[in-house]
Structure formats: structure tokens, C-alpha cells
Amino acid sequence: MVRTLRLILGDQLNLQHSWYQQRDEAVLYIVAELKQETGYVRHHIQKLCGFFAAMEAFAQTLAEQGHRVRHLTLDDTADDQDLPALIRRMVSETGACQFEYQRPDEYRLFSQLRALQLPVPTAEADSEHFLLAFNELPEHFRAGCRHRMEPFYRKMRKRFDVLMAGDKPLGDKWNYDADNRQALSEDACLDLPVPLCFANPVDTIRARLARHQVDHIGQLQGDLLWPINRSQSLALLTHFCRHALPWFGRYQDALSEQAPHNWSLFHSRLSFSLNTKMLHPLEVVEAATVAFQQDDRVSLAQVEGFVRQILGWREYVRGIYWANMPDYATCNHFAARRALPGWFWTGETKMACLRQAIRHSLDYAYAHHIQRLMITGNFALLIGANPDEVDAWYLGIYIDAIEWVEMPNTRGMSQYADGGLLASKPYAASGAYVNRMGDHCRHCRYNVRDKTGCHACPLNSLYWHFMDRHDRELATNPRIRMVFRGWDDRPEAERQAILDHAQWCLDNIETL
Ligand code: FAD
Ligand code: SF4
């Protein structure tokens, strides 16, 4: 007898959810692989395998804990047109009198489930994951309004009493970002941790994906290195606190061509575990603050830099997403229309910085934040790439890409397509930034000092082309306008030569 059918989505693998505090023979949990989820964008093969493996492991753990669970594979759901069709079938087959789901974090699934018509009552539960409750979001975020992360972050620090000394921030400073923008030194390279990688076999999942002709990007050689259950996620968290947190803040903006483990550097790689809810954000923040209290190597600047990402940025982008959906998905402030070059899917470009960021993305379904923002994102911004295409690329390629976090980061932070709802300025940079933050330029076919000529770093002229295209708006932005002083002082012929070279780069983008 099934009284209640409960749906668990692929990013709702939260073992601590109140649903599981009691065992009830009359409740049947459904964990289902679905063609609609493999096809709404072209995903990386590691992302497909990661989600399906984690879902399977979750279903198994629930069953071991005594819950009734049905894990449905693509083979079992092949005839269900979409998620509502599957739910209707399951309700009818089991004779359930009630259907329950956790509120999805993606607008797409949220709309689908809210519109669901069933012959039995439906109830929506909270996913019990985020620090800010869903119904509190409107108090902090308004549609179409410009918000800023820093005041929001301070409120969160106070509210959750993290790194506080009474009403004041510990150390009397809220933000240590200014101390935390260092390139890797040779000494720092010696401290780079060997990334903790798992060896999760996914052959049967791969075979299933092939059998159902699921198209994908990227590669997967052998086992899956990403964590697929809570104990692996906790091991990754412990590994991060021991081996990377002592340097996290200082080098969070660093880039590297040559350093060992340059794809992970001092980053945590916890985003997949967090976004699938195998880890709770507060337990991650607590682990970092405990490390700060117990480990002399972890300074306040390092732990604050990390806490800000989770307590601040992660919750903040979610607020921007929900306040502005569904309009956010189509915003295109700069009316950008260009297609991304084909080498975004192969990494075959002569630009060392882009080659590496794209290859890491293809090889690991991961690139660290600065590669996403200041390398691939910056290039897409400078060339005026269509945000729809940029969004699809980011949503597909990364193991942690779920729309509520991917879209505000891509459209908002990286492409400024929301016209400044999320960030106060476009993150546009020339080759000088890349050169300052890492060693790519020393290993590049292009010369980072040149703006014109066949060996000139394309980012230099493209940067000025971008600034020139949008000068009316950007010259009034207090965080950007000073760069125009240097530009306006250049002789007209020099400016024109730079713009002409940028146009050549745009016309020959596939060959760069
Ligand atoms: P760390 O550098 O170790 O940071 C720790 C944690 O902080 C992350 O795991 C993440 O949960 C959180 N965090 C850090 N920065 C952000 C941020 N800007 N927004 C939200 N959370 C943040 N993050 C995703 O989780 N999914 C995405 O699809 C995604 N797409 C992005 C697209 C672009 C264009 C950009 C610029 C950023 C994107 N980010 C995304 C944010 C960030 O780059 C990743 O969270 C981070 O790189 C994940 O790696 P990590 O776990 O090693 O992070
Ligand atoms: Fe990138 Fe330009 Fe440096 Fe080459 S020279 S690595 S393209 S910034």
C-alpha cells in the first residue's frame, strides 16, 4: 500500500531533510533519471554521470535506512514524455492518495511542478538547504532593482553569527579581499595540495546514456573523480580545510599555466556536493571556522574569503535569480549577438589562457572561478557573445551547473546582460590582468604587451573595442570611467589602429 508518493530530484540529495527523520512504510520515494533532464541543454559527460551516480547512491542509502525507494533509470522512464507524465503514471500505478515534492531551485522545474494537475492532492515542501528561507527572499531582493553583495553578506554574517565579535566583524574588517589578490609565488606552488579525487565506477551509467543516445560534451576517462555521496563529500570538505584553506583567500584569484594541479589550485571543489545538497552550506562554513580556531595556519583573511563565497555570493545569486525570473533568462543589456567560436568546445586556440581554461572545463567538467569569470567569461563579454549561447555553454559544461546559480553568475556577473542588477560593473579585462594574475602569457604565442600586429594579445584590442562600443554607458560608471582617460589621451590614429585590429580578431575569431 502506498499512501504518499514523494519525488526526489537530482539536486535534492539532502539526507538530513526532515522527510527522512521517520520511516513510514506507506511512503514511497521516487528517484528517477529522465530524458528531459539529460536534454534541456547539452551537458558534460561527467555532469551526467555525476548526477546519475549520486542519485543512485542516494536511493541506495535511503533504502539501507529502511525507507521505501524506487530508483528508476532511463530504461524505466524511456516511455514517459516528461516529469509530469512520469508522476501521473506513478500515482496511477501505485494508487497513492497524495503526491509530495520539494520545491525545485530551478524555475523550469518549479513551474512544471506547480502546474502539475493530478487526481490526488499535492503538497510542496521546502528543500531545507539554503540559509535564507524562500519566503524571505522578497524582503532582500526586488525584481529589476540593483542589489549589491557586500551589504547582503554583512547581514548574513550578523544573522548567522559567523566570524563576529558581538556586533562587529572579527578583526574589525568585514572583507579581506584587498589582501587576497595575489598571483602564485614559487613558494606557494610548493603548498599546492594534490586534489582529492574519487574513483567512482560509472560504466553502466555511460552505457545507459549511450543506449538512450544522450548527446554530451567533454570527456571522461575511466572512473568519475567527483564525490557521489555524503561521506565522499565530507572527506572533500575535510581535505579542503586541512590542505587548501590556509591559502584559499590569498590565492583565490590566481591563475597558473605551469603549477602542479593548476586546475584546482587552492579551491575547494565543493560546489557539486553543495549544489546537489549532499552538504549543507552551514556545515561547510562551520568546518572552515572551526579550522580557523584550531589551525594556526588558517588566518582570518583566508577563512573570511571562503565564508564570503558561501554565506555571501551563493545565497546572493540565488536571491537575484528568484527575484528576476523568468525575465532574467532573456536579458541582454548590450544586445550582444555573436556566436561563441567553435574552439570553446575543443580548446583549440593559440591563446594560452583560454586554451587552458577550456581544456580544464572539458577534462574535468570544472574550472575555478577566475577561469570562468576572467578568462572564458571575459572573452565572451569582449567579443559581444550572445548571452543565450554563453548561458547554455556554462550550464552544460560544469559539474556544478544548476540554473539558479549558473545564470546569475553568467548573465549577471560575467556578461553584465542584466545591466547591473547583480554587479556594479562589467568584469572586462585586457591581457594585463591575465599577466598580473598568472604565468599564461609567458607560454603564449601572443605578446601580452602588444595591442596591434599579428602577435598582439587579442584581449588587448578586444578590450578597447568593448570599451569603445559601450563608451556612453561605461564612461559614466564610477568604477570604470578612469580607464577612458588613458584611452582619450591616445592619438586618434593609435586608437583607430587598435580598433581595426580588434575588428580583424572578430572577423577571424576561429583562427585566434
Ligand atoms: P571555491 O572557490 O572553493 O568556493 C567555495 C564555494 O563558494 C563554492 O563551492 C560555491 O558554492 C561558492 N561560490 C563561490 N563563488 C560563487 C559564486 N560566484 N556564486 C555562487 N557560489 C559561489 N557556481 C556554481 O556552483 N554553479 C555554476 O553553474 C556556476 N557557474 C558560474 C559561471 C560563471 C560565468 C562564473 C563567473 C561563476 C560561476 N559559478 C558557478 C561560481 C563559482 O565559479 C563556482 O561556484 C566555483 O568555481 C566552484 O568551484 P569550487 O567549489 O572549487 O569553489
Ligand atoms: Fe592570454 Fe593574451 Fe596572455 Fe596569451 S598573451 S595568455 S592571450 S592574456
Side-chain angles (χ1 to χ4, degrees):
M1 200 273 280
V2 174
R3 185 190 67 245
T4 306
L5 196 67
R6 282 180 171 169
L7 175 73
I8 302 167
L9 295 170
D11 65 343
Q12 296 177 339
L13 312 182
N14 175 5
L15 266 183
Q16 292 116 307
H17 195 278
S18 54
W19 270 4
Y20 316 120
Q21 303 315 310
Q22 280 186 338
R23 277 184 288 277
D24 185 343
E25 265 295 296
V27 175
L28 177 67
Y29 291 98
I30 302 289
V31 179
E33 297 174 359
L34 274 170
K35 203 75 193 277
Q36 79 160 40
E37 295 308 296
T38 62
Y40 67 87
V41 75
R42 197 153 69 106
H43 300 281
H44 197 294
I45 182 69
Q46 293 185 37
K47 183 181 177 194
L48 291 162
C49 289
F51 271 88
F52 281 4
M55 288 161 69
E56 197 170 334
F58 189 78
Q60 207 176 327
T61 307
L62 282 188
E64 283 161 11
Q65 291 181 351
H67 298 283
R68 273 177 83 184
V69 192
R70 196 163 306 164
H71 174 247
L72 302 170
T73 69
L74 281 180
D75 296 336
D76 306 311
T77 63
D79 294 335
D80 299 302
Q81 197 197 345
D82 54 15
L83 178 61
L86 168 74
I87 296 164
R88 280 193 290 272
R89 174 166 75 84
M90 293 309 295
V91 167
S92 146
E93 273 178 25
T94 58
C97 331
Q98 162 98 352
F99 170 69
E100 296 180 359
Y101 63 92
Q102 293 176 24
R103 186 188 319 100
D105 295 314
E106 279 193 326
Y107 188 83
R108 183 178 60 85
L109 288 162
F110 173 81
S111 316
Q112 209 174 28
L113 286 176
R114 285 250 167 132
L116 186 64
Q117 301 280 337
L118 288 178
V120 297
T122 300
E124 182 182 275
D126 194 85
S127 65
E128 301 175 11
H129 174 78
F130 290 98
L131 301 176
L132 210 53
F134 188 75
N135 56 13
E136 273 186 86
L137 290 174
E139 286 169 36
H140 299 265
F141 300 94
R142 296 240 179 95
C145 286
R146 287 166 178 245
H147 292 280
R148 294 298 167 249
M149 204 287 288
E150 189 63 29
F152 170 78
Y153 166 58
R154 291 181 188 189
K155 279 190 217 158
M156 295 293 276
R157 284 266 298 273
K158 281 189 190 161
R159 174 160 170 183
F160 290 92
D161 196 19
V162 176
L163 301 179
M164 296 296 296
D167 258 7
K168 295 215 162 126
L170 207 60
D172 252 352
K173 243 168 89 173
W174 287 103
N175 185 317
Y176 289 80
D177 221 9
D179 308 346
N180 281 351
R181 290 192 190 125
Q182 296 184 24
L184 285 179
S185 60
E186 273 181 30
D187 281 355
C189 287
L190 300 176
D191 294 320
L192 278 169
V194 178
L196 174 62
C197 295
F198 302 94
N200 291 305
V202 287
D203 288 353
T204 41
I205 294 176
R206 285 201 78 164
R208 205 150 66 230
L209 291 166
R211 202 159 55 243
H212 291 275
Q213 296 170 341
V214 176
D215 194 12
H216 65 80
I217 46 178
Q219 50 262 343
L220 168 57
Q221 258 129 33
D223 295 337
L224 186 78
L225 66 89
W226 294 99
I228 59 157
N229 56 37
R230 185 159 161 77
S231 63
Q232 290 183 353
S233 299
L234 287 169
L236 194 57
L237 175 58
T238 304
H239 183 271
F240 167 72
C241 290
R242 276 201 200 132
H243 303 293
L245 183 59
W247 298 272
F248 176 85
R250 193 172 308 137
Y251 299 117
Q252 64 181 313
D253 287 2
L255 292 161
S256 178
E257 179 83 16
Q258 292 268 293
H261 322 301
N262 54 13
W263 66 285
S264 54
L265 299 176
F266 294 110
H267 293 274
S268 70
R269 294 184 298 107
L270 287 167
S271 47
F272 179 65
S273 297
L274 276 162
N275 295 353
T276 48
K277 305 184 178 58
M278 294 189 286
L279 291 181
H280 191 275
L282 212 49
E283 73 183 325
V284 173
V285 165
E286 272 166 15
T289 51
V290 166
F292 165 61
Q293 284 153 9
Q294 297 180 349
D295 183 342
D296 290 345
R297 298 171 310 152
V298 182
S299 69
L300 183 54
Q302 314 312 312
V303 75
E304 187 282 320
F306 183 70
V307 162
R308 181 165 9 104
Q309 308 310 315
I310 302 202
L311 207 60
W313 279 111
R314 188 167 186 267
E315 297 281 327
Y316 175 74
V317 300
R318 169 176 173 256
I320 297 282
Y321 177 78
W322 280 109
N324 293 291
M325 282 301 276
D327 296 347
Y328 208 78
T330 52
C331 61
N332 187 353
H333 179 70
F334 289 133
R337 298 272 173 260
R338 192 175 298 278
L340 287 173
W343 44 259
F344 258 66
W345 285 266
T346 63
E348 284 165 23
T349 166
K350 297 192 276 288
M351 291 183 276
C353 54
L354 277 135
R355 184 173 60 229
Q356 195 201 55
I358 294 169
R359 283 193 184 161
H360 283 169
S361 308
L362 294 167
D363 290 349
Y364 300 107
Y366 175 87
H368 62 72
H369 183 68
I370 292 303
Q371 290 178 311
R372 298 186 202 197
L373 182 65
M374 299 310 294
I375 303 295
T376 43
N378 178 49
F379 186 81
L381 174 72
L382 298 186
I383 65 166
N386 187 331
D388 294 346
E389 203 180 319
V390 184
D391 245 343
W393 188 81
Y394 280 98
L395 188 58
I397 204 159
Y398 292 121
I399 186 87
D400 53 33
I402 305 184
E403 195 184 79
W404 66 266
V405 52
E406 174 279 325
M407 188 178 282
N409 269 297
T410 303
R411 280 200 186 240
M413 189 188 301
S414 146
Q415 301 302 295
Y416 204 72
D418 65 1
L421 299 185
L422 180 141
S424 56
K425 62 162 191 167
Y427 282 88
S430 67
Y433 174 89
V434 179
N435 196 29
R436 196 164 56 246
M437 296 314 298
D439 58 348
H440 290 307
C441 303
R442 276 183 259 146
H443 306 275
C444 185
R445 281 269 287 278
Y446 295 105
N447 188 334
V448 72
R449 282 179 299 278
D450 291 350
K451 294 182 184 58
T452 55
C454 56
H455 293 297
C457 166
L459 299 185
N460 291 340
S461 57
L462 288 171
Y463 172 80
W464 287 114
H465 196 271
F466 171 80
M467 289 292 171
D468 190 68
R469 277 201 313 274
H470 303 295
D471 63 346
R472 276 213 190 146
E473 172 178 348
L474 300 182
T476 61
N477 184 315
R479 292 194 66 196
I480 293 201
R481 64 175 170 229
M482 57 283 189
V483 304
F484 283 97
R485 273 188 228 138
W487 177 243
D488 293 340
D489 287 347
R490 287 171 204 263
E492 165 67 24
E494 191 183 324
R495 276 187 279 158
Q496 194 53 51
I498 294 172
L499 296 178
D500 288 348
H501 187 65
Q503 192 56 52
W504 183 91
C505 291
L506 291 171
D507 293 343
N508 294 277
I509 201 161
E510 295 294 346
T511 68
L512 290 178

